[in-house]
Amino acid sequence: MAPIELTDLDRRIWEEELTGFVPERVFDVHTHIYRWAFFTDPDKESTSYRQFVTPPYEEANWRLLDECDRLLMPGRQVSRLAFPFPFAEYCDFDRSNRFVAKQVSDDPASGALMLVRPEMTADEITTAVRGDGILGLKPYRFYSKTGDAVNCRITDFLPEHQIEVADQLGLLIMMHLSRPDAIGDELNIADLERLTATYPRAKWILAHCARSYAAWPIERAGQRLADLPNVWFDTSSVCESDAIEALIRTVGAERVMYGSDDVPVGVLRGKYISFGYGWAYLSPSNQQLNLTHCDPRMTFTRYEQLRAMQRAGRRGELSKTQTRAMFYDTAAELVARTRTGLFE
Ligand SMILES: [Zn+2]
């Protein structure tokens, strides 16, 4: 069974808007590889994860990702930077990390990051990195040692002894920022200024446009981020062109990389929308809008994101070369450089 069924609406958006925009080669820097079995909560069937980790996405392996890309972006050759799904609290870190490392090993350009929690020692991380060919760290706010996933600061869920390892080995750090204002929060931007100066060889990727699902956080922080060395950004699941445009304008297109947030977010139908100082995921099943005046169907998050990237690129007057770099070259170079630094 195909993991995704395309409708005439999806096909039309791909053919009329997107196929001319997405280059032949793609490097997806934000991909989740996992098994539902790695979520070890005894009550997991009644958790909210079940709403989106449905049976087609219980075994999110390389083959499934290839299949999703083949359906949504036909003919594109895709490499990936992949990491586990950060299941809250009950997560089998060991098996998650070994699984992702093994899954990426078939494509020499691709790379894996390990899921980390604050309790892991520097030795544990160094051993895993060297043993499994891992290129960096994927911390997550749910594992904050403060127990507060909403207001935690970076070092609450990525302690400095782990950033020190990233600095020593030149590792990547995939950072999904916490706190309600995300990168628009003074503590987050100040922490990043300090940490990038103290640990200059760690390479940060700030996920979801530094978690700017709307333009205002990146408008607030962009100028200061532009001055930081070794910081890159992925556009995964950001669906507002204003946010991506503000990112490109402030930090420069050469630091911005495509990410899908597959699976499942990128391949689900819906869109991240913003309002006031908030944002939310709107899907066919979580709202009761009265939509008799138009075609009420929704397309994939990924297509909404690509539309936003295209409009942002158009307004920022990106060249073909810059667009290709955003989809492939920047990430391929960053991942290759990280690997060379580690294993030579
Ligand atoms: Zn993600």
Side-chain angles (χ1 to χ4, degrees), residues 1-2 18 58 60 65 69 77 79 89 109 139 144 166 174 180 183 189 218 253 287 293 307:
M1 198 185 84
L18 300 175
E58 283 181 358
L65 293 166
D69 279 326
Q77 188 190 333
S79 292
E89 229 174 312
S144 170
M174 175 57 73
I183 199 59
I189 181 75
I218 197 69
Q287 42 78 23
H293 59 283
R307 287 171 131 181

Side-chain angles (χ1 to χ4, degrees), residues 244-317:
I244 299 173
E245 185 194 6
L247 179 69
I248 290 172
R249 188 179 63 243
T250 52
V251 307
E254 66 284 354
R255 299 217 215 180
V256 178
M257 304 182 288
Y258 166 77
S260 69
D261 219 353
D262 281 6
V263 292
V265 175
V267 299
L268 298 181
R269 290 182 190 283
K271 186 182 184 188
Y272 279 95
I273 54 160
S274 75
F275 38 83
Y277 291 124
W279 68 93
Y281 191 65
L282 186 76
S283 80
S285 60
N286 75 357
Q287 42 78 23
Q288 294 174 303
L289 298 170
N290 179 6
L291 300 175
T292 49
H293 59 283
C294 61
D295 185 338
R297 294 175 295 168
M298 294 189 189
T299 190
F300 308 112
T301 318
R302 163 121 53 126
Y303 281 3
E304 297 291 1
Q305 175 197 332
L306 289 170
R307 287 171 131 181
M309 288 176 72
Q310 182 179 33
R311 293 198 172 99
R314 217 183 268 151
R315 283 191 243 147
E317 296 182 0

Side-chain angles (χ1 to χ4, degrees), residues 8 42 70 110 228 299 307 337:
D8 61 301
R70 191 184 64 77
S110 292
L228 302 183
T299 190
R307 287 171 131 181
R337 190 151 56 86

Side-chain angles (χ1 to χ4, degrees), residues 30-32 83-86 138 140 176 207-208 213 236-237 260-262 265:
H30 193 124
T31 326
H32 295 277
F83 36 89
F85 194 91
K138 164 69 180 172
Y140 203 66
H176 177 125
H208 318 301
Y213 283 90
S236 64
S237 63
S260 69
D261 219 353
D262 281 6
V265 175

Side-chain angles (χ1 to χ4, degrees), residues 9-311:
L9 173 95
D10 305 321
R11 289 205 175 82
R12 183 172 168 197
I13 290 173
W14 173 256
E15 276 155 29
E16 290 183 8
E17 300 181 32
L18 300 175
T19 188
F21 171 62
V22 178
E24 293 296 298
R25 294 194 76 186
V26 173
F27 206 117
D28 176 352
V29 298
H30 193 124
T31 326
H32 295 277
I33 287 184
Y34 61 89
R35 281 183 171 147
W36 178 242
F38 300 157
F39 184 33
T40 54
D41 187 338
D43 292 322
K44 66 181 183 177
E45 294 304 326
S46 54
T47 62
S48 57
Y49 289 112
R50 232 342 171 197
Q51 287 155 32
F52 56 97
V53 185
T54 51
Y57 309 117
E58 283 181 358
E59 166 86 18
N61 56 23
W62 197 258
R63 224 181 36 233
L64 177 73
L65 293 166
D66 274 346
E67 181 66 1
C68 291
D69 279 326
R70 191 184 64 77
L71 289 165
L72 265 61
M73 305 196 307
R76 271 52 177 185
Q77 188 190 333
V78 185
S79 292
R80 302 180 180 96
L81 184 63
F83 36 89
F85 194 91
F87 291 113
E89 229 174 312
Y90 299 89
C91 185
D92 188 332
F93 281 70
D94 251 12
R95 285 165 71 210
S96 296
N97 290 333
R98 272 186 276 123
F99 185 64
V100 68
K102 177 124 189 39
Q103 289 289 314
V104 304
S105 60
D106 284 348
D107 176 24
S110 292
L113 307 180
M114 66 183 286
L115 193 62
V116 289
R117 58 182 160 198
E119 295 75 21
M120 286 183 183
T121 65
D123 278 352
E124 275 176 81
I125 291 173
T126 308
T127 306
V129 165
R130 297 231 183 265
D132 290 328
I134 283 178
L135 301 181
L137 314 179
K138 164 69 180 172
Y140 203 66
R141 59 195 181 89
F142 288 161
Y143 308 123
S144 170
K145 57 182 190 244
T146 61
D148 180 348
V150 175
N151 296 297
C152 51
R153 289 170 70 165
I154 293 169
T155 50
D156 293 333
F157 57 103
L158 181 69
E160 284 194 54
H161 71 268
Q162 297 183 354
I163 307 174
E164 204 178 319
V165 177
D167 180 49
Q168 282 161 3
L169 302 177
L171 299 179
L172 294 162
I173 297 171
M174 175 57 73
M175 172 54 61
H176 177 125
L177 290 163
S178 182
R179 303 182 60 78
D181 284 0
I183 199 59
D185 181 286
E186 176 56 31
L187 290 176
N188 275 338
I189 181 75
D191 283 346
L192 277 170
E193 285 174 336
R194 183 180 73 78
L195 294 168
T196 52
T198 313
Y199 306 101
R201 291 187 68 245
K203 306 184 189 84
W204 301 74
I205 302 173
L206 304 184
H208 318 301
C209 300
R211 207 173 175 219
S212 285
Y213 283 90
W216 60 267
I218 197 69
E219 283 170 351
R220 239 186 248 176
Q223 288 308 330
R224 285 166 73 184
L225 287 173
D227 291 336
L228 302 183
N230 279 342
V231 178
W232 288 262
F233 303 83
D234 80 48
T235 59
S236 64
S237 63
V238 174
C239 302
E240 296 206 357
S241 49
D242 284 0
I244 299 173
E245 185 194 6
L247 179 69
I248 290 172
R249 188 179 63 243
T250 52
V251 307
E254 66 284 354
R255 299 217 215 180
V256 178
M257 304 182 288
Y258 166 77
S260 69
D261 219 353
D262 281 6
V263 292
V265 175
V267 299
L268 298 181
R269 290 182 190 283
K271 186 182 184 188
Y272 279 95
I273 54 160
S274 75
F275 38 83
Y277 291 124
W279 68 93
Y281 191 65
L282 186 76
S283 80
S285 60
N286 75 357
Q287 42 78 23
Q288 294 174 303
L289 298 170
N290 179 6
L291 300 175
T292 49
H293 59 283
C294 61
D295 185 338
R297 294 175 295 168
M298 294 189 189
T299 190
F300 308 112
T301 318
R302 163 121 53 126
Y303 281 3
E304 297 291 1
Q305 175 197 332
L306 289 170
R307 287 171 131 181
M309 288 176 72
Q310 182 179 33
R311 293 198 172 99

